[in-house]
Amino acid sequence: MTRSVTLVLAALLALVQADLWFGKGGLPRVVQLQTQLNAQRAANDAARERNTRIAAEVRDLKEGLEMVEERARTDLGMVRPDEILVQISATRR
């Protein structure tokens, strides 16, 4: 009698453990989710690097245009259509 009760309890314990390990939320699902997480992290890192490169390009383009405009103003004397150029020359005594 005790032996059969022990066997039934062991069988029930094995069923519960089997469901925990191989059921809906078991070990294979955890491995699958871990693989997906690693792939998503790699994709996020690649996207973050691409975004950093694009931000640097935008910054360079903005600064580059400002430098071109400044050079055109100082070296070539160019002005915008709605501006008036006033030059003050220093007189030496």
Side-chain angles (χ1 to χ4, degrees), residues 22-91:
F22 304 108
K24 189 175 183 179
L27 189 61
R29 178 72 175 148
V30 170
V31 170
Q32 177 190 14
L33 289 174
Q34 188 65 40
T35 303
Q36 287 178 357
L37 178 63
N38 291 338
Q40 187 62 51
R41 283 182 176 161
N44 288 352
D45 290 342
R48 192 174 294 112
E49 183 178 325
R50 187 185 71 227
N51 289 346
T52 302
R53 278 196 317 266
I54 290 173
E57 283 183 37
V58 168
R59 191 172 42 253
D60 288 345
L61 287 173
K62 284 182 179 178
E63 289 174 2
L65 290 177
E66 290 172 2
M67 288 174 32
V68 168
E69 182 179 352
E70 181 181 340
R71 184 134 193 209
R73 287 174 173 276
T74 57
D75 294 349
L76 303 174
M78 298 181 108
V79 293
R80 291 184 181 159
D82 58 341
E83 291 180 331
I84 299 172
L85 177 65
V86 177
Q87 287 184 329
I88 301 173
S89 61
T91 55

Side-chain angles (χ1 to χ4, degrees), residues 3-17:
R3 183 158 172 85
S4 61
V5 171
T6 305
L7 288 176
V8 168
L9 289 176
L12 287 174
L13 181 62
L15 284 174
V16 168
Q17 286 294 315

